[in-house]
Amino acid sequence: QEQLVESGGGAVQTGGSLRLSCAASVRSFTTSAMGWFRQAPGKGRDVIASINSSGGLTYYADSVKGRFTISRDNAKNMVYLQMDSLKPEDTADYYCAVASAPIATRGYEFNYWGQGTRVTVSS
């Protein structure tokens, strides 16, 4: 059974940094794209970053481009999201997700999510 466990969330001030981690127990981790989604209060869940199966291709939503960095360690079945220059509008629940294909950038291409970790950015 697939399992994704996020960690690293917390409270930080504007301009601060956090690093989210996702421990993945999935059968085809090394052949699957991985992504990070977020859901702010009262809003939908959107993909903000994704990385292809080998780690050589990344995608970022405009809202986080230049501030967030997604990476993966296929030897450890881990995915990371380095978040720098955080803003209050980054406050949300963050979810790790796995796709069924080696490359994925759209939300509907992901088919399993973890339970999420909360990030709160204060001004």
Side-chain angles (χ1 to χ4, degrees), residues 7 21-24 29 71-80:
S7 61
S21 298
C22 172
F29 180 80
S71 61
R72 65 189 295 164
D73 185 337
N74 283 353
K76 296 181 179 180
N77 279 29
M78 295 291 295
V79 183
Y80 307 99

Side-chain angles (χ1 to χ4, degrees), residues 44-112:
R45 187 179 299 186
D46 298 315
V47 58
I48 57 168
S50 70
I51 188 166
N52 74 325
S53 57
S54 68
L57 294 174
T58 56
Y59 157 84
Y60 298 96
D62 288 343
S63 58
V64 306
K65 196 174 295 182
R67 300 187 298 120
F68 291 10
T69 303
I70 188 171
S71 61
R72 65 189 295 164
D73 185 337
N74 283 353
K76 296 181 179 180
N77 279 29
M78 295 291 295
V79 183
Y80 307 99
L81 186 68
Q82 177 66 41
M83 306 188 295
D84 299 317
S85 302
L86 283 161
K87 306 174 182 180
E89 51 264 45
D90 294 319
T91 295
D93 292 324
Y94 284 73
Y95 300 87
C96 176
V98 60
S100 55
I103 298 175
T105 61
R106 305 293 180 93
Y108 64 82
E109 296 177 295
F110 294 85
N111 50 27
Y112 190 82

